[in-house]
Amino acid sequence: MKFIGIDLGWSSGASGLCCLNWENNRLQFIECDRQQSLNDILTWIDRQISPTEPAIIAVDAPTIIANPTGMRDADKLTHKHFGRYHAGCYPANLSRPFAQKTVEFGLCLEARGFVHSPTIEAKKLGRYQIEVFPHPATINLFKLDRIIKYKKGKLAERQLELMKLCQYIIDILPSLEPSLNLSCGTDILPVNCGIGILPVSDIPTSIATLKALEDQLDALLCAYIGAHWWYWGIERNLVLGDRATGYIVIPQLQ
């Protein structure tokens, strides 16, 4: 079973991509990447997953939007449950400029056999897609009092916050169930621990390199959320919204 995380660029930005594989009762890191167009993203997915291979694709973007204006119920519920942590999501509706792209992406995944799965039987093999949102996921997985603010602010502030996120990933995700193996000989995270998406000495020193790393780390989180949903189902996950109007899967710990 493979787990694909997509930090989808909602408008013109690049998208972060990550692939994890379930092997020997652990999640193994396979690859992180960035791609620009939907066609290039789908080509990357097709390269990672054969046409009949079981997988979950977890997308940080509203792939189901039914409301012409306003906010989806799922979006409202993120503010209800996680607003105090600064983890409410942006409103999605059909009048927003990103709506056509994000909905189209979900339809493209459906055409490849990845069915929307706001409900799932834990550990059952299949081809699924879900919508996820990393910010509230980090609140629950890392037991935070507020989100890690690595997306906005001055470069130096964002560097510190992004390195903080790296350290949480390194320290905590390998200790959870399912466990993520990061000591796989591949550079995943750019911190002084010997692994990194960028070389260890190459901590981002510009907005462009910071954004590139941010996209891939978000994709890694998306992939892990997908794995957590498959492994535990509703027992240790929260589902906000529904299949008809849009939904977001958020991991919970006991």
Side-chain angles (χ1 to χ4, degrees), residues 138-186:
T138 61
I139 296 297
N140 285 348
L141 291 173
F142 304 150
K143 299 181 180 179
L144 304 178
D145 294 325
R146 67 167 179 86
I147 62 169
I148 306 167
K149 297 191 176 183
Y150 55 93
K151 293 180 178 290
K152 294 182 180 180
K154 296 179 180 179
L155 176 61
E157 296 168 344
R158 290 177 62 184
Q159 285 174 320
L160 289 174
E161 291 291 280
L162 197 62
M163 294 308 102
K164 188 185 299 183
L165 174 63
C166 292
Q167 202 61 56
Y168 277 121
I169 289 172
I170 292 164
D171 292 343
I172 296 177
L173 292 189
S175 70
L176 298 181
E177 191 177 357
S179 173
L180 174 59
N181 179 22
L182 293 173
S183 57
C184 56
T186 302

mmCIF file of all heavy atoms in Angstrom, residues 138-186:
data_model
loop_
_atom_site.group_PDB
_atom_site.id
_atom_site.type_symbol
_atom_site.label_atom_id
_atom_site.label_comp_id
_atom_site.label_asym_id
_atom_site.label_seq_id
_atom_site.Cartn_x
_atom_site.Cartn_y
_atom_site.Cartn_z
ATOM 1 N N THR A 138 -1.075 18.855 12.592
ATOM 2 C CA THR A 138 0.104 19.043 13.445
ATOM 3 C C THR A 138 -0.300 19.369 14.886
ATOM 4 O O THR A 138 0.404 18.976 15.822
ATOM 5 C CB THR A 138 1.023 20.152 12.900
ATOM 6 O OG1 THR A 138 0.327 21.402 12.864
ATOM 7 C CG2 THR A 138 1.540 19.815 11.518
ATOM 8 N N ILE A 139 -1.408 20.073 15.061
ATOM 9 C CA ILE A 139 -1.886 20.356 16.424
ATOM 10 C C ILE A 139 -2.092 19.054 17.175
ATOM 11 O O ILE A 139 -1.657 18.891 18.327
ATOM 12 C CB ILE A 139 -3.194 21.170 16.388
ATOM 13 C CG1 ILE A 139 -2.970 22.560 15.770
ATOM 14 C CG2 ILE A 139 -3.798 21.284 17.784
ATOM 15 C CD1 ILE A 139 -2.032 23.450 16.532
ATOM 16 N N ASN A 140 -2.766 18.092 16.530
ATOM 17 C CA ASN A 140 -3.065 16.828 17.197
ATOM 18 C C ASN A 140 -1.868 15.891 17.263
ATOM 19 O O ASN A 140 -1.593 15.292 18.307
ATOM 20 C CB ASN A 140 -4.230 16.133 16.484
ATOM 21 C CG ASN A 140 -5.572 16.780 16.784
ATOM 22 O OD1 ASN A 140 -5.692 17.605 17.694
ATOM 23 N ND2 ASN A 140 -6.590 16.427 16.027
ATOM 24 N N LEU A 141 -1.144 15.750 16.165
ATOM 25 C CA LEU A 141 -0.035 14.792 16.134
ATOM 26 C C LEU A 141 1.118 15.223 17.031
ATOM 27 O O LEU A 141 1.760 14.391 17.675
ATOM 28 C CB LEU A 141 0.475 14.622 14.700
ATOM 29 C CG LEU A 141 -0.459 13.918 13.717
ATOM 30 C CD1 LEU A 141 0.115 13.989 12.304
ATOM 31 C CD2 LEU A 141 -0.693 12.470 14.116
ATOM 32 N N PHE A 142 1.396 16.538 17.068
ATOM 33 C CA PHE A 142 2.543 17.037 17.817
ATOM 34 C C PHE A 142 2.145 17.668 19.151
ATOM 35 O O PHE A 142 3.006 18.195 19.860
ATOM 36 C CB PHE A 142 3.311 18.054 16.974
ATOM 37 C CG PHE A 142 3.763 17.531 15.632
ATOM 38 C CD1 PHE A 142 3.901 18.390 14.547
ATOM 39 C CD2 PHE A 142 4.053 16.185 15.453
ATOM 40 C CE1 PHE A 142 4.330 17.911 13.316
ATOM 41 C CE2 PHE A 142 4.466 15.700 14.217
ATOM 42 C CZ PHE A 142 4.604 16.563 13.148
ATOM 43 N N LYS A 143 0.845 17.654 19.468
ATOM 44 C CA LYS A 143 0.321 18.181 20.737
ATOM 45 C C LYS A 143 0.758 19.639 20.949
ATOM 46 O O LYS A 143 1.354 19.999 21.965
ATOM 47 C CB LYS A 143 0.771 17.298 21.899
ATOM 48 C CG LYS A 143 0.268 15.860 21.788
ATOM 49 C CD LYS A 143 0.706 15.001 22.960
ATOM 50 C CE LYS A 143 0.193 13.569 22.806
ATOM 51 N NZ LYS A 143 0.623 12.707 23.933
ATOM 52 N N LEU A 144 0.420 20.472 19.979
ATOM 53 C CA LEU A 144 0.835 21.873 19.989
ATOM 54 C C LEU A 144 -0.231 22.769 20.601
ATOM 55 O O LEU A 144 -1.425 22.444 20.587
ATOM 56 C CB LEU A 144 1.114 22.345 18.557
ATOM 57 C CG LEU A 144 2.136 21.538 17.748
ATOM 58 C CD1 LEU A 144 2.259 22.110 16.341
ATOM 59 C CD2 LEU A 144 3.485 21.520 18.445
ATOM 60 N N ASP A 145 0.197 23.925 21.117
ATOM 61 C CA ASP A 145 -0.726 24.940 21.623
ATOM 62 C C ASP A 145 -1.175 25.895 20.526
ATOM 63 O O ASP A 145 -2.165 26.603 20.675
ATOM 64 C CB ASP A 145 -0.067 25.749 22.751
ATOM 65 C CG ASP A 145 0.204 24.894 23.971
ATOM 66 O OD1 ASP A 145 -0.605 23.986 24.255
ATOM 67 O OD2 ASP A 145 1.229 25.118 24.646
ATOM 68 N N ARG A 146 -0.415 25.963 19.432
ATOM 69 C CA ARG A 146 -0.786 26.769 18.265
ATOM 70 C C ARG A 146 -0.035 26.210 17.072
ATOM 71 O O ARG A 146 0.900 25.408 17.227
ATOM 72 C CB ARG A 146 -0.429 28.248 18.451
ATOM 73 C CG ARG A 146 1.050 28.560 18.509
ATOM 74 C CD ARG A 146 1.307 30.050 18.385
ATOM 75 N NE ARG A 146 2.707 30.407 18.463
ATOM 76 C CZ ARG A 146 3.549 30.420 17.434
ATOM 77 N NH1 ARG A 146 3.133 30.039 16.244
ATOM 78 N NH2 ARG A 146 4.805 30.788 17.589
ATOM 79 N N ILE A 147 -0.440 26.621 15.864
ATOM 80 C CA ILE A 147 0.242 26.126 14.676
ATOM 81 C C ILE A 147 1.691 26.611 14.639
ATOM 82 O O ILE A 147 2.045 27.609 15.276
ATOM 83 C CB ILE A 147 -0.485 26.564 13.390
ATOM 84 C CG1 ILE A 147 -0.508 28.099 13.259
ATOM 85 C CG2 ILE A 147 -1.873 25.978 13.331
ATOM 86 C CD1 ILE A 147 -0.979 28.582 11.903
ATOM 87 N N ILE A 148 2.499 25.890 13.890
ATOM 88 C CA ILE A 148 3.863 26.323 13.604
ATOM 89 C C ILE A 148 3.770 27.302 12.435
ATOM 90 O O ILE A 148 3.361 26.927 11.337
ATOM 91 C CB ILE A 148 4.754 25.127 13.254
ATOM 92 C CG1 ILE A 148 4.678 24.073 14.358
ATOM 93 C CG2 ILE A 148 6.198 25.567 13.046
ATOM 94 C CD1 ILE A 148 5.269 22.736 13.972
ATOM 95 N N LYS A 149 4.160 28.549 12.637
ATOM 96 C CA LYS A 149 3.900 29.605 11.657
ATOM 97 C C LYS A 149 5.079 29.772 10.694
ATOM 98 O O LYS A 149 5.802 30.757 10.725
ATOM 99 C CB LYS A 149 3.560 30.907 12.380
ATOM 100 C CG LYS A 149 2.282 30.778 13.215
ATOM 101 C CD LYS A 149 1.773 32.108 13.725
ATOM 102 C CE LYS A 149 0.447 31.937 14.461
ATOM 103 N NZ LYS A 149 -0.129 33.213 14.912
ATOM 104 N N TYR A 150 5.202 28.767 9.810
ATOM 105 C CA TYR A 150 6.311 28.766 8.863
ATOM 106 C C TYR A 150 5.913 29.299 7.492
ATOM 107 O O TYR A 150 6.742 29.335 6.581
ATOM 108 C CB TYR A 150 6.871 27.349 8.703
ATOM 109 C CG TYR A 150 5.859 26.290 8.320
ATOM 110 C CD1 TYR A 150 5.634 25.956 6.988
ATOM 111 C CD2 TYR A 150 5.139 25.618 9.301
ATOM 112 C CE1 TYR A 150 4.719 24.997 6.638
ATOM 113 C CE2 TYR A 150 4.224 24.654 8.959
ATOM 114 C CZ TYR A 150 4.014 24.343 7.631
ATOM 115 O OH TYR A 150 3.090 23.371 7.288
ATOM 116 N N LYS A 151 4.665 29.720 7.330
ATOM 117 C CA LYS A 151 4.198 30.161 6.015
ATOM 118 C C LYS A 151 4.218 31.678 5.834
ATOM 119 O O LYS A 151 4.182 32.156 4.699
ATOM 120 C CB LYS A 151 2.778 29.639 5.760
ATOM 121 C CG LYS A 151 2.697 28.119 5.624
ATOM 122 C CD LYS A 151 1.280 27.674 5.378
ATOM 123 C CE LYS A 151 1.216 26.171 5.189
ATOM 124 N NZ LYS A 151 1.813 25.720 3.915
ATOM 125 N N LYS A 152 4.254 32.437 6.927
ATOM 126 C CA LYS A 152 4.204 33.886 6.820
ATOM 127 C C LYS A 152 5.250 34.510 7.746
ATOM 128 O O LYS A 152 5.664 33.899 8.720
ATOM 129 C CB LYS A 152 2.805 34.413 7.186
ATOM 130 C CG LYS A 152 1.711 34.000 6.218
ATOM 131 C CD LYS A 152 0.373 34.591 6.625
ATOM 132 C CE LYS A 152 -0.727 34.185 5.658
ATOM 133 N NZ LYS A 152 -2.046 34.753 6.056
ATOM 134 N N GLY A 153 5.628 35.744 7.422
ATOM 135 C CA GLY A 153 6.573 36.472 8.256
ATOM 136 C C GLY A 153 7.882 36.717 7.538
ATOM 137 O O GLY A 153 8.054 36.399 6.353
ATOM 138 N N LYS A 154 8.832 37.288 8.260
ATOM 139 C CA LYS A 154 10.159 37.544 7.706
ATOM 140 C C LYS A 154 10.903 36.228 7.509
ATOM 141 O O LYS A 154 10.625 35.220 8.156
ATOM 142 C CB LYS A 154 10.935 38.466 8.643
ATOM 143 C CG LYS A 154 10.311 39.854 8.792
ATOM 144 C CD LYS A 154 11.112 40.719 9.750
ATOM 145 C CE LYS A 154 10.490 42.102 9.903
ATOM 146 N NZ LYS A 154 11.243 42.961 10.847
ATOM 147 N N LEU A 155 11.887 36.279 6.605
ATOM 148 C CA LEU A 155 12.617 35.063 6.259
ATOM 149 C C LEU A 155 13.201 34.383 7.487
ATOM 150 O O LEU A 155 13.062 33.163 7.661
ATOM 151 C CB LEU A 155 13.727 35.388 5.259
ATOM 152 C CG LEU A 155 14.651 34.226 4.870
ATOM 153 C CD1 LEU A 155 13.870 33.093 4.213
ATOM 154 C CD2 LEU A 155 15.764 34.723 3.930
ATOM 155 N N ALA A 156 13.852 35.141 8.357
ATOM 156 C CA ALA A 156 14.489 34.549 9.542
ATOM 157 C C ALA A 156 13.465 33.875 10.449
ATOM 158 O O ALA A 156 13.723 32.798 11.008
ATOM 159 C CB ALA A 156 15.260 35.617 10.311
ATOM 160 N N GLU A 157 12.292 34.496 10.593
ATOM 161 C CA GLU A 157 11.238 33.913 11.426
ATOM 162 C C GLU A 157 10.712 32.621 10.812
ATOM 163 O O GLU A 157 10.495 31.622 11.515
ATOM 164 C CB GLU A 157 10.101 34.920 11.596
ATOM 165 C CG GLU A 157 10.506 36.188 12.345
ATOM 166 C CD GLU A 157 9.463 37.274 12.242
ATOM 167 O OE1 GLU A 157 8.577 37.178 11.346
ATOM 168 O OE2 GLU A 157 9.513 38.219 13.048
ATOM 169 N N ARG A 158 10.522 32.636 9.494
ATOM 170 C CA ARG A 158 10.020 31.444 8.816
ATOM 171 C C ARG A 158 11.044 30.314 8.844
ATOM 172 O O ARG A 158 10.683 29.130 8.969
ATOM 173 C CB ARG A 158 9.637 31.789 7.371
ATOM 174 C CG ARG A 158 8.412 32.670 7.275
ATOM 175 C CD ARG A 158 8.097 33.063 5.840
ATOM 176 N NE ARG A 158 7.799 31.908 5.013
ATOM 177 C CZ ARG A 158 7.570 31.963 3.708
ATOM 178 N NH1 ARG A 158 7.629 33.135 3.076
ATOM 179 N NH2 ARG A 158 7.290 30.874 3.011
ATOM 180 N N GLN A 159 12.317 30.663 8.751
ATOM 181 C CA GLN A 159 13.365 29.637 8.851
ATOM 182 C C GLN A 159 13.281 28.913 10.191
ATOM 183 O O GLN A 159 13.317 27.677 10.249
ATOM 184 C CB GLN A 159 14.749 30.277 8.709
ATOM 185 C CG GLN A 159 15.126 30.672 7.297
ATOM 186 C CD GLN A 159 16.451 31.419 7.268
ATOM 187 O OE1 GLN A 159 16.723 32.251 8.134
ATOM 188 N NE2 GLN A 159 17.280 31.128 6.277
ATOM 189 N N LEU A 160 13.182 29.678 11.267
ATOM 190 C CA LEU A 160 13.112 29.077 12.599
ATOM 191 C C LEU A 160 11.889 28.186 12.752
ATOM 192 O O LEU A 160 11.964 27.085 13.301
ATOM 193 C CB LEU A 160 13.100 30.179 13.664
ATOM 194 C CG LEU A 160 14.408 30.934 13.877
ATOM 195 C CD1 LEU A 160 14.204 32.092 14.851
ATOM 196 C CD2 LEU A 160 15.501 29.996 14.388
ATOM 197 N N GLU A 161 10.748 28.668 12.252
ATOM 198 C CA GLU A 161 9.516 27.893 12.377
ATOM 199 C C GLU A 161 9.561 26.630 11.521
ATOM 200 O O GLU A 161 9.090 25.567 11.939
ATOM 201 C CB GLU A 161 8.314 28.759 11.990
ATOM 202 C CG GLU A 161 8.009 29.873 12.980
ATOM 203 C CD GLU A 161 7.496 29.348 14.307
ATOM 204 O OE1 GLU A 161 6.299 29.022 14.395
ATOM 205 O OE2 GLU A 161 8.302 29.256 15.265
ATOM 206 N N LEU A 162 10.143 26.723 10.321
ATOM 207 C CA LEU A 162 10.219 25.547 9.468
ATOM 208 C C LEU A 162 11.180 24.516 10.045
ATOM 209 O O LEU A 162 10.926 23.307 9.981
ATOM 210 C CB LEU A 162 10.667 25.951 8.059
ATOM 211 C CG LEU A 162 10.409 24.909 6.964
ATOM 212 C CD1 LEU A 162 8.922 24.634 6.816
ATOM 213 C CD2 LEU A 162 10.988 25.364 5.631
ATOM 214 N N MET A 163 12.276 24.970 10.633
ATOM 215 C CA MET A 163 13.187 24.035 11.287
ATOM 216 C C MET A 163 12.518 23.365 12.492
ATOM 217 O O MET A 163 12.772 22.202 12.794
ATOM 218 C CB MET A 163 14.460 24.754 11.720
ATOM 219 C CG MET A 163 15.323 25.270 10.567
ATOM 220 S SD MET A 163 15.716 24.015 9.323
ATOM 221 C CE MET A 163 14.555 24.442 8.018
ATOM 222 N N LYS A 164 11.644 24.114 13.156
ATOM 223 C CA LYS A 164 10.876 23.537 14.263
ATOM 224 C C LYS A 164 9.976 22.412 13.753
ATOM 225 O O LYS A 164 9.873 21.343 14.365
ATOM 226 C CB LYS A 164 10.045 24.634 14.930
ATOM 227 C CG LYS A 164 9.355 24.216 16.216
ATOM 228 C CD LYS A 164 8.464 25.333 16.744
ATOM 229 C CE LYS A 164 9.236 26.594 17.070
ATOM 230 N NZ LYS A 164 8.345 27.634 17.652
ATOM 231 N N LEU A 165 9.312 22.655 12.600
ATOM 232 C CA LEU A 165 8.479 21.615 12.003
ATOM 233 C C LEU A 165 9.312 20.396 11.648
ATOM 234 O O LEU A 165 8.905 19.249 11.917
ATOM 235 C CB LEU A 165 7.789 22.162 10.751
ATOM 236 C CG LEU A 165 6.981 21.154 9.932
ATOM 237 C CD1 LEU A 165 5.823 20.600 10.744
ATOM 238 C CD2 LEU A 165 6.485 21.783 8.638
ATOM 239 N N CYS A 166 10.479 20.612 11.050
ATOM 240 C CA CYS A 166 11.371 19.492 10.731
ATOM 241 C C CYS A 166 11.676 18.654 11.961
ATOM 242 O O CYS A 166 11.635 17.421 11.929
ATOM 243 C CB CYS A 166 12.677 20.016 10.140
ATOM 244 S SG CYS A 166 12.541 20.769 8.517
ATOM 245 N N GLN A 167 11.979 19.321 13.052
ATOM 246 C CA GLN A 167 12.360 18.591 14.260
ATOM 247 C C GLN A 167 11.193 17.793 14.829
ATOM 248 O O GLN A 167 11.373 16.665 15.296
ATOM 249 C CB GLN A 167 12.909 19.558 15.311
ATOM 250 C CG GLN A 167 13.787 18.882 16.348
ATOM 251 C CD GLN A 167 15.018 18.230 15.716
ATOM 252 O OE1 GLN A 167 15.794 18.889 15.038
ATOM 253 N NE2 GLN A 167 15.163 16.935 15.913
ATOM 254 N N TYR A 168 9.989 18.356 14.771
ATOM 255 C CA TYR A 168 8.806 17.598 15.208
ATOM 256 C C TYR A 168 8.622 16.355 14.350
ATOM 257 O O TYR A 168 8.313 15.266 14.868
ATOM 258 C CB TYR A 168 7.558 18.472 15.140
ATOM 259 C CG TYR A 168 7.338 19.375 16.324
ATOM 260 C CD1 TYR A 168 7.264 20.756 16.167
ATOM 261 C CD2 TYR A 168 7.191 18.860 17.611
ATOM 262 C CE1 TYR A 168 7.061 21.600 17.254
ATOM 263 C CE2 TYR A 168 6.977 19.685 18.701
ATOM 264 C CZ TYR A 168 6.917 21.057 18.522
ATOM 265 O OH TYR A 168 6.707 21.880 19.598
ATOM 266 N N ILE A 169 8.777 16.494 13.052
ATOM 267 C CA ILE A 169 8.632 15.346 12.153
ATOM 268 C C ILE A 169 9.641 14.259 12.509
ATOM 269 O O ILE A 169 9.312 13.077 12.625
ATOM 270 C CB ILE A 169 8.791 15.799 10.690
ATOM 271 C CG1 ILE A 169 7.575 16.634 10.266
ATOM 272 C CG2 ILE A 169 8.966 14.597 9.762
ATOM 273 C CD1 ILE A 169 7.720 17.290 8.904
ATOM 274 N N ILE A 170 10.886 14.674 12.725
ATOM 275 C CA ILE A 170 11.957 13.729 13.040
ATOM 276 C C ILE A 170 11.737 13.051 14.390
ATOM 277 O O ILE A 170 11.919 11.841 14.545
ATOM 278 C CB ILE A 170 13.312 14.445 13.037
ATOM 279 C CG1 ILE A 170 13.667 14.868 11.613
ATOM 280 C CG2 ILE A 170 14.418 13.556 13.616
ATOM 281 C CD1 ILE A 170 14.767 15.890 11.557
ATOM 282 N N ASP A 171 11.335 13.832 15.377
ATOM 283 C CA ASP A 171 11.233 13.308 16.742
ATOM 284 C C ASP A 171 9.963 12.503 16.978
ATOM 285 O O ASP A 171 9.969 11.553 17.770
ATOM 286 C CB ASP A 171 11.279 14.462 17.750
ATOM 287 C CG ASP A 171 12.632 15.151 17.816
ATOM 288 O OD1 ASP A 171 13.617 14.547 17.345
ATOM 289 O OD2 ASP A 171 12.702 16.282 18.326
ATOM 290 N N ILE A 172 8.864 12.887 16.307
ATOM 291 C CA ILE A 172 7.557 12.336 16.693
ATOM 292 C C ILE A 172 7.009 11.315 15.705
ATOM 293 O O ILE A 172 6.530 10.250 16.121
ATOM 294 C CB ILE A 172 6.542 13.483 16.919
ATOM 295 C CG1 ILE A 172 7.003 14.337 18.113
ATOM 296 C CG2 ILE A 172 5.131 12.938 17.159
ATOM 297 C CD1 ILE A 172 6.134 15.533 18.402
ATOM 298 N N LEU A 173 7.052 11.573 14.411
ATOM 299 C CA LEU A 173 6.405 10.647 13.469
ATOM 300 C C LEU A 173 6.983 9.232 13.531
ATOM 301 O O LEU A 173 6.228 8.262 13.404
ATOM 302 C CB LEU A 173 6.460 11.200 12.048
ATOM 303 C CG LEU A 173 5.610 12.451 11.781
ATOM 304 C CD1 LEU A 173 5.574 12.771 10.282
ATOM 305 C CD2 LEU A 173 4.193 12.327 12.330
ATOM 306 N N PRO A 174 8.295 9.042 13.755
ATOM 307 C CA PRO A 174 8.784 7.668 13.902
ATOM 308 C C PRO A 174 8.274 6.962 15.155
ATOM 309 O O PRO A 174 8.320 5.729 15.228
ATOM 310 C CB PRO A 174 10.313 7.847 13.955
ATOM 311 C CG PRO A 174 10.560 9.137 13.248
ATOM 312 C CD PRO A 174 9.403 10.009 13.645
ATOM 313 N N SER A 175 7.789 7.724 16.142
ATOM 314 C CA SER A 175 7.343 7.125 17.404
ATOM 315 C C SER A 175 5.857 6.825 17.431
ATOM 316 O O SER A 175 5.369 6.195 18.373
ATOM 317 C CB SER A 175 7.691 8.060 18.571
ATOM 318 O OG SER A 175 6.877 9.231 18.552
ATOM 319 N N LEU A 176 5.129 7.280 16.435
ATOM 320 C CA LEU A 176 3.685 7.075 16.400
ATOM 321 C C LEU A 176 3.348 5.748 15.719
ATOM 322 O O LEU A 176 4.213 5.059 15.190
ATOM 323 C CB LEU A 176 3.006 8.234 15.659
ATOM 324 C CG LEU A 176 3.159 9.623 16.273
ATOM 325 C CD1 LEU A 176 2.422 10.656 15.434
ATOM 326 C CD2 LEU A 176 2.651 9.654 17.707
ATOM 327 N N GLU A 177 2.077 5.418 15.723
ATOM 328 C CA GLU A 177 1.573 4.241 15.025
ATOM 329 C C GLU A 177 0.509 4.683 14.036
ATOM 330 O O GLU A 177 -0.512 5.225 14.469
ATOM 331 C CB GLU A 177 0.997 3.248 16.023
ATOM 332 C CG GLU A 177 0.687 1.883 15.430
ATOM 333 C CD GLU A 177 0.185 0.881 16.475
ATOM 334 O OE1 GLU A 177 0.143 1.246 17.668
ATOM 335 O OE2 GLU A 177 -0.187 -0.240 16.088
ATOM 336 N N PRO A 178 0.770 4.521 12.725
ATOM 337 C CA PRO A 178 1.908 3.869 12.082
ATOM 338 C C PRO A 178 3.186 4.697 12.191
ATOM 339 O O PRO A 178 3.143 5.922 12.220
ATOM 340 C CB PRO A 178 1.467 3.751 10.619
ATOM 341 C CG PRO A 178 0.542 4.904 10.417
ATOM 342 C CD PRO A 178 -0.183 5.053 11.714
ATOM 343 N N SER A 179 4.295 3.990 12.249
ATOM 344 C CA SER A 179 5.604 4.624 12.396
ATOM 345 C C SER A 179 6.189 4.962 11.032
ATOM 346 O O SER A 179 6.090 4.173 10.084
ATOM 347 C CB SER A 179 6.537 3.672 13.142
ATOM 348 O OG SER A 179 7.851 4.165 13.171
ATOM 349 N N LEU A 180 6.810 6.138 10.936
ATOM 350 C CA LEU A 180 7.449 6.571 9.693
ATOM 351 C C LEU A 180 8.958 6.433 9.824
ATOM 352 O O LEU A 180 9.575 7.055 10.691
ATOM 353 C CB LEU A 180 7.077 8.024 9.378
ATOM 354 C CG LEU A 180 7.775 8.661 8.177
ATOM 355 C CD1 LEU A 180 7.505 7.880 6.903
ATOM 356 C CD2 LEU A 180 7.347 10.116 8.021
ATOM 357 N N ASN A 181 9.553 5.618 8.967
ATOM 358 C CA ASN A 181 10.992 5.408 8.969
ATOM 359 C C ASN A 181 11.659 6.504 8.147
ATOM 360 O O ASN A 181 11.496 6.568 6.931
ATOM 361 C CB ASN A 181 11.321 4.030 8.390
ATOM 362 C CG ASN A 181 12.818 3.777 8.347
ATOM 363 O OD1 ASN A 181 13.579 4.414 9.083
ATOM 364 N ND2 ASN A 181 13.243 2.866 7.495
ATOM 365 N N LEU A 182 12.427 7.366 8.793
ATOM 366 C CA LEU A 182 13.143 8.446 8.114
ATOM 367 C C LEU A 182 14.623 8.152 7.958
ATOM 368 O O LEU A 182 15.338 8.924 7.329
ATOM 369 C CB LEU A 182 12.956 9.759 8.880
ATOM 370 C CG LEU A 182 11.538 10.328 8.876
ATOM 371 C CD1 LEU A 182 11.435 11.531 9.795
ATOM 372 C CD2 LEU A 182 11.108 10.701 7.471
ATOM 373 N N SER A 183 15.104 7.066 8.517
ATOM 374 C CA SER A 183 16.529 6.731 8.411
ATOM 375 C C SER A 183 16.722 5.754 7.260
ATOM 376 O O SER A 183 17.114 4.608 7.437
ATOM 377 C CB SER A 183 17.030 6.115 9.718
ATOM 378 O OG SER A 183 16.269 4.967 10.043
ATOM 379 N N CYS A 184 16.410 6.240 6.060
ATOM 380 C CA CYS A 184 16.391 5.351 4.898
ATOM 381 C C CYS A 184 17.524 5.645 3.930
ATOM 382 O O CYS A 184 17.501 5.181 2.797
ATOM 383 C CB CYS A 184 15.049 5.486 4.174
ATOM 384 S SG CYS A 184 14.678 7.177 3.690
ATOM 385 N N GLY A 185 18.493 6.472 4.345
ATOM 386 C CA GLY A 185 19.608 6.772 3.468
ATOM 387 C C GLY A 185 19.306 7.827 2.422
ATOM 388 O O GLY A 185 20.137 8.128 1.585
ATOM 389 N N THR A 186 18.102 8.392 2.445
ATOM 390 C CA THR A 186 17.722 9.431 1.487
ATOM 391 C C THR A 186 17.537 10.738 2.222
ATOM 392 O O THR A 186 16.971 10.775 3.301
ATOM 393 C CB THR A 186 16.390 9.058 0.798
ATOM 394 O OG1 THR A 186 16.543 7.797 0.151
ATOM 395 C CG2 THR A 186 16.015 10.101 -0.239
#
